[in-house]
Amino acid sequence: MTGEARAVKRSGWNGRKKKQLKLVLLLLPFMALVFVFSYAPLFGWGYAFVDFTPGVSMFESKFVGLKYFRRIFGNSADFIKVMRNTLTISSMNICCSVLPAIFAIALSMVKRPRFAKLVQTASSIPNFLSWVLVYSIVFMLIASESSAMNIILMRLGLVSSPLSPLTNYEHAWTIQVSIGVWKSLGYNAIIYLSSITSIDQELYEAADVDGADAWKKVLHITVPGLLPTFFVLLLLAISNMLSNGFDQFWLLATGMTWDKLEVFDTYVYRMGIKNMEYSLATAMGIFKSVVSILLLTAANIGSKKLRGTSIF
Amino acid sequence: MNTQATAKQPKIQQKAKWTIHEVVICVIVGLFAFMCVYPLWYIFVNSFSTPAAVNRGVFLIPIDFTTEAYGEMMKIAGIGSSIWIAFARTITGTCLTLACSSFAAYLLANKDLPTKKLLYRFFIITMYVNAGFIPYYLTISNIGLKNNFLVYILPTAVQAYFLILIKTYIEGIPAELTEAAEIDGAGILRTFWQIILPLSKPIIATIAVFAAVNQWNAWSDDMFFMQGRKSASLHCLQYLLYQKLQQNAVNTQAGAAAGAGVKVSNSTLRMAMSFVTVVPILCVYPYMQRFFTKGIMLGAVKG
């Protein structure tokens, strides 16, 4: 068969159908993968409505209705504490989300490209370190008795006994949020930096003609130019309020700060796996997913109302 | 920062005049950059110093240079296999993610795919709907992936976020190219391999570095799913470091007190392990940078 004849056959109705079938068949293994790891666990939501013990199937377990949901909301001081911690830390993080924008604006005002590039390169490194490594760094640089910070402070005579930020109950939230900001600030600034470069340069030139100084230009051109990006990220952050991330709080919480640093993700893990409360932990997971989806939908509606476009 | 900032100043000073606000900004951002880089340098110099020197404080260069800590590190039970597993999961995991995500994205970008939109959503929804940890954990146990190397690489093989990035990119490739290939008789696989893949190199490279870093940095899946003696040889380096840090957090006082006498203290050992854990990241980091903006921007536009 010549190439042309084959092409004719392919473009015919039969060939097209065949190709469609082939495409679907080729896609199937990937759908199966996603199904197993993302959809199959959804059936596990049933565990929240039965008295589940490992080894017994969901259908043989005793159906208890909303017992575990009632337990979460009813008499749980733990749940209130965990919600308070989660929401406080998320809110503090959201407040800090202006910092990357400020950092990017500051960096864009440095008219020395090589220095700016160097700073950008250096400051985005922590984002690519694992939380275990961050834990190790925090421990060795500021937290342990023989940490760099303590050696210096003691030598300068500024403190009489070593500081121990990781066991500090009073400032536990601030310390954790600061560590998070340190880790992500430089990387998060990159998106703002590229937004800044996409702002129309003519606006700046026009402002120059009008005699605007550097601060005026930032205030009237750069900041408005960054607002859409900032807004999208803000909405996404709000819809993610219940996820503070497991790693940071599992690793960096200590016995002393546990009361303030137990967040949703660590609590679910502790209840489910450590205390074997599978049903209760599943119910909490359902609660989290539902709230997250509601928040995301609300954020999307908000975005449509305010900007005319949805975020996703 | 001062080392960096002042090193740069003389050269640039000829170009533009320093204004006060620029100096202030440079000092602040430079200080922050320094705070991001110095911890790694601190780990490096301390890991090559003796415990006695570390207790007195080592900040700029190694004092009483020694590689004892690294020698001691190699004696930790399971360190060899953990390094091997870390590399194995990074390499196989990244390749699998690239192969699966790019091919699935290509299929989803194909205009001949029936119910294309619906199938695409099937993948994308997974970004927003999350069953929660316990059902996921039980699923993994039920399908026998606990204490199995595959648990490191299979769940991340097809990722919605990567799918979006690659699909968006593939859709930007002129349709004439694939049509021409099809007229010449190339099938689906061949078109993908010979036309799409070579043209998508930039996005594939972007995703490769991000997937690789994710794999290298992962440790919690290790903690969740590798339990008991059976899987002792399946732990990865990050997890071993985590365990070591946990131990040390408990007996750090004892270690510090004994530190002056012994050849290797807990802290130098910790520094050595941390440094080994960070080296691969630092090695790929210079190559990663040029992908940052592209990766983030694409995600922001369509994500």
Side-chain angles (χ1 to χ4, degrees), chain B residues 225-279:
Chain B
F225 302 117
M226 299 296 175
Q227 288 155 348
R229 293 195 180 284
K230 254 195 311 184
S231 50
S233 60
L234 285 174
H235 288 307
C236 53
L237 188 58
Q238 299 273 354
Y239 182 75
L240 237 64
L241 176 62
Y242 162 67
Q243 274 187 324
K244 199 79 204 155
L245 290 168
Q246 292 292 91
Q247 279 173 26
N248 287 328
V250 177
N251 56 24
T252 178
Q253 274 100 343
V262 293
K263 268 188 169 172
V264 177
S265 72
N266 274 331
S267 32
T268 51
L269 183 59
R270 228 161 33 206
M271 306 270 188
M273 260 184 112
S274 303
F275 191 68
V276 169
T277 316
V278 81
V279 160

Side-chain angles (χ1 to χ4, degrees), chain A residues 113-135:
Chain A
R114 283 180 55 191
F115 177 72
K117 183 80 199 150
L118 192 76
V119 167
Q120 192 203 323
T121 306
S123 59
S124 39
I125 286 180
N127 185 62
F128 297 94
L129 305 179
S130 69
W131 272 109
V132 176
L133 210 67
V134 172
Y135 172 42

